[in-house]
Structures are given as structure tokens and as C-alpha cells.
Amino acid sequence: SQQGEEDPQALSIQEGENATMNCSYKTSINNLQWYRQNSGRGLVHLILIRSNEREKHSGRLRVTLDTSKKSSSLLITASRAADTASYFCATDFSGTASKLTFGTGTRLQVTL
Amino acid sequence: DGGITQSPKYLFRKEGQNVTLSCEQNLNHDAMYWYRQDPGQGLRLIYYSQIVNDFQKGDIAEGYSVSREKKESFPLTVTSAQKNPTAFYLCASSIQAGPYEQYFGPGTRLTVT
């Protein structure tokens, strides 16, 4: 399968702490995207990083991409209870650029 | 408001019945997608459409069918041939097929008993 794999599968932290989740993939990509899903809802796009970029920021989010290791990380700084959700990475593989392939997700729980 | 809508939110059917899930978008997007999500799992692509009157099978198309007669609409039919249809179904669209941000609907939870 070309599906990305997130690590860890679940993460529980306290409000104010940073949360880091990782995504690994198997083949060359054009870009990598991160999405968020609140329980029972649709996904919301967070950030897109292109294969020629190494780091990108958006508010409290920081995404890195290491194409040599075929991996990406999403860092959420100063987490809030409202950040509780599942986070998915999605890649468009260079050979099948017409669709995205989603990873298995990291379930983040932020407690007060 | 621009967006993508799915209806209904919850759907119950008896085994052996076909059921059609609705997906409508007013974002003027060319590409539309259907995904299936099982509890605690990621998304798996069922079908996608790059343009009106065109669609391709995704990774798990067996037991499903779609149509794309209008740009705004991409209905999914879950047929009686789908062996395990109970799942959460998500529709999405993007400006074009490819490495673009996808916009998701709120999902339809289908339960077949």
C-alpha cells in the first residue's frame, strides 16, 4: 500500500504542551498535506508543503518535510483543548497525481 | 455560503437494499471524491471524478457506483453487492484533480442491518 502511516496512533497531552505527530510514506511525492478531523465530522485542510520545501508555518502549526527520509512532522505548539481531534497526512504520489492517499491518523487528546 | 453538502447525516437501510448518498458542491470545483472511513481508521478512496461525465475507480470501488452528470453533484450508490456497507462516507471536492486542497462535506453515517 502507498498509504502514509502516522505515528503515534494516539497522543494525550495537557493544555499548553506541544504535540508532535509524524507521517511516513513510501514513494516520491509532489506535496504532502495535513488535515484535521473532529469526531464525526468531515476533514479540514490545515497546511500543504511542497516536495521542494523543508518547513512551513501557519499560526501554531509547524510542518517539516524530509524527502530523503520520506517523512513529515506536524507540530502544534501551546496546545488547547479545542485541538482535540484526529490528524491525517495525505500525499499525492508522483505517479498518480490525480488523487490523494490518506494516512491512518493520529488521535490527539488535549486535557485541561 | 460556498461549500459542500452531504445528505442525510444518518441513514439506515436493510441488508439487500441499494442506497444513494447525496453530495453537492457550489465551489465550482472540477474534481470530486468519495471516501469511506471505518471506526478508528483512515480514509479509503472509493471513486473520484476529474470532470463532468467522467469518473474513475479508487482503491475500494467494488459494490459501489457513481455518476457525474452535473458539475455540482456526485451521488454515490451503495449496492447490495457491497459486503460490509456500514461506515462513515465522506465526499470531497478540489479545484482540479491532483495535488490540491480538498474540501470535505460533513459526512453520512450509513448503517445497514
Side-chain angles (χ1 to χ4, degrees):
Chain A
S1 166
Q2 294 178 321
Q3 189 178 46
E5 296 284 337
E6 278 94 339
D7 172 59
Q9 289 187 334
L11 180 60
S12 182
I13 59 173
Q14 290 192 318
E15 202 169 48
E17 294 180 335
N18 295 343
T20 299
M21 50 206 88
N22 305 294
C23 170
S24 60
Y25 56 92
K26 296 179 181 177
T27 62
S28 297
I29 61 171
N30 295 310
N31 69 46
L32 186 143
Q33 303 181 38
W34 284 92
Y35 287 79
R36 164 195 169 123
Q37 183 183 33
N38 286 72
S39 182
R41 304 285 185 93
L43 277 70
V44 175
H45 182 264
L46 295 175
I47 199 164
L48 181 152
I49 185 165
R50 303 190 191 285
S51 59
N52 61 354
E53 297 176 310
R54 292 295 168 258
E55 187 170 311
K56 205 161 183 180
H57 296 255
S58 176
R60 293 184 297 111
L61 305 180
R62 172 179 168 248
V63 169
T64 62
L65 179 64
D66 187 335
T67 53
S68 66
K69 294 181 180 178
K70 293 186 171 60
S71 68
S72 174
S73 67
L74 170 66
L75 168 67
I76 304 173
T77 60
S79 63
R80 306 166 182 168
D83 294 327
T84 295
S86 291
Y87 292 83
F88 295 90
C89 67
T91 51
D92 70 311
F93 296 99
S94 301
T96 57
S98 57
K99 58 181 181 174
L100 296 180
T101 299
F102 285 81
T104 51
T106 292
R107 292 187 302 281
L108 174 65
Q109 176 77 43
V110 182
T111 56
L112 296 172
Chain B
D1 285 338
I4 181 163
T5 58
Q6 293 183 243
S7 62
K9 188 169 177 65
Y10 298 96
L11 192 53
F12 298 88
R13 281 292 183 271
K14 294 290 187 185
E15 196 173 311
Q17 294 179 333
N18 291 355
V19 59
T20 298
L21 281 60
S22 168
C23 178
E24 303 277 333
Q25 55 99 359
N26 61 3
L27 299 168
N28 200 32
H29 285 172
D30 282 329
M32 296 187 75
Y33 311 82
W34 273 106
Y35 295 93
R36 171 184 172 133
Q37 186 176 35
D38 292 287
Q41 302 296 311
L43 278 66
R44 292 186 289 170
L45 182 65
I46 304 172
Y47 268 98
Y48 65 104
S49 168
Q50 299 186 63
I51 201 165
V52 176
N53 293 321
D54 173 76
F55 50 83
Q56 286 84 40
K57 292 181 179 179
D59 301 318
I60 55 164
E62 186 175 348
Y64 299 98
S65 66
V66 294
S67 63
R68 186 86 187 277
E69 297 176 0
K70 297 187 299 183
K71 188 174 187 176
E72 310 81 45
S73 180
F74 191 41
L76 172 74
T77 297
V78 184
T79 75
S80 56
Q82 168 49 234
K83 293 189 182 350
N84 186 18
T86 294
F88 188 50
Y89 291 88
L90 286 160
C91 180
S93 69
S94 61
I95 190 163
Q96 294 176 25
Y100 302 101
E101 173 184 351
Q102 291 189 8
Y103 293 75
F104 282 80
T108 292
R109 189 167 300 280
L110 173 65
T111 301
V112 177
T113 57

